């Protein structure tokens, strides 16, 4: 990042696609402990299927049973970043799929994706508060995150 005139960190576009006017696709999903999505946001991404939601939840659940969470998975044209917050019974999982970081050094990509995952989680805390995130009354949580977190995610992914 570079420091702007007010000393605030300003991100620079990571890849040339932003300068060329190409559009990036992304999908962000926040899932409750039971595996049902409580928030989804996407741009230039095909319709999000139940299979995608179930796949992310199964991957995180199986990983936690073995004592780890995969953080970044890369394919030729997309990158998947995963994060888990909380304890069993009140756990939130965040999955981020993007075509923006499909090329580059793994260490740099991981740093940028972890920054975005942390920003999305902190945005959720700001949007609904820690208590609502922990208690997870699903309907109220979905409504609040849809109204308050969606603009934050759009900005983080811009």
């Amino acid at each position: 990042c570079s420091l702007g005139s007010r000393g605030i960190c300003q991100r620079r576009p990571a890849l040339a696609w932003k300068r060329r006017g190409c559009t990036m696709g992304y999908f962000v999903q926040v899932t409750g402990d039971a595996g049902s999505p409580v928030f989804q946001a996407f741009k230039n991404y095909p319709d999000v299927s139940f299979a995608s939601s179930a796949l992310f939840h199964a991957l995180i659940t199986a990983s936690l049973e073995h004592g780890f969470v995969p953080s970044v998975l890369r394919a030729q044209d997309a990158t998947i970043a995963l994060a888990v917050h909380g304890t069993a019974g009140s756990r939130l999982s965040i999955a981020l799929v993007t075509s923006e970081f499909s090329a580059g050094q793994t260490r740099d990509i991981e740093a940028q994706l972890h920054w975005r995952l942390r920003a999305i989680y902190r945005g959720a805390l700001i949007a609904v508060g820690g208590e609502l995130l922990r208690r997870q009354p699903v309907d109220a949580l979905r409504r609040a995150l849809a109204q308050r977190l969606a603009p934050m995610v759009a900005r983080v992914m811009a």
Side-chain angles (χ1 to χ4, degrees), residues 21-32:
C22 298
T23 56
M24 164 198 72
Y26 71 82
F27 163 61
V28 174
Q29 176 178 281
V30 178
T31 306

Side-chain angles (χ1 to χ4, degrees), residues 14-154:
L15 297 174
W17 61 264
K18 284 195 174 190
R19 291 185 294 276
R20 290 192 313 261
C22 298
T23 56
M24 164 198 72
Y26 71 82
F27 163 61
V28 174
Q29 176 178 281
V30 178
T31 306
D33 212 21
S36 63
V38 293
F39 175 80
Q40 290 183 334
F42 54 90
K43 177 182 175 186
N44 297 332
Y45 192 86
D47 288 338
V48 180
S49 68
F50 172 76
S52 296
S53 299
L55 174 66
F56 296 134
H57 181 68
L59 180 62
I60 289 170
T61 301
S63 299
L64 286 170
E65 288 174 0
H66 290 90
F68 73 98
V69 176
S71 62
V72 176
L73 307 168
R74 292 179 66 183
Q76 184 175 359
D77 60 350
T79 305
I80 301 170
L82 302 168
V84 177
H85 299 276
T87 58
S90 63
R91 188 173 285 144
L92 281 181
S93 305
I94 302 173
L96 185 156
V97 180
T98 180
S99 57
E100 178 182 3
F101 298 113
S102 59
Q105 295 294 321
T106 301
R107 184 177 35 219
D108 298 336
I109 292 168
E110 285 181 358
Q112 291 189 29
L113 288 170
H114 286 186
W115 179 87
R116 288 182 181 195
L117 288 170
R118 283 190 306 274
I120 292 167
Y121 178 68
R122 286 192 172 96
L125 285 173
I126 291 168
V128 298
E131 187 62 31
L132 184 57
L133 280 177
R134 282 188 292 279
R135 287 183 297 139
Q136 297 183 15
V138 177
D139 291 334
L141 186 58
R142 280 188 183 135
R143 279 191 307 274
L145 289 175
Q147 289 176 336
R148 300 176 193 152
L149 183 59
M152 292 181 211
V153 168

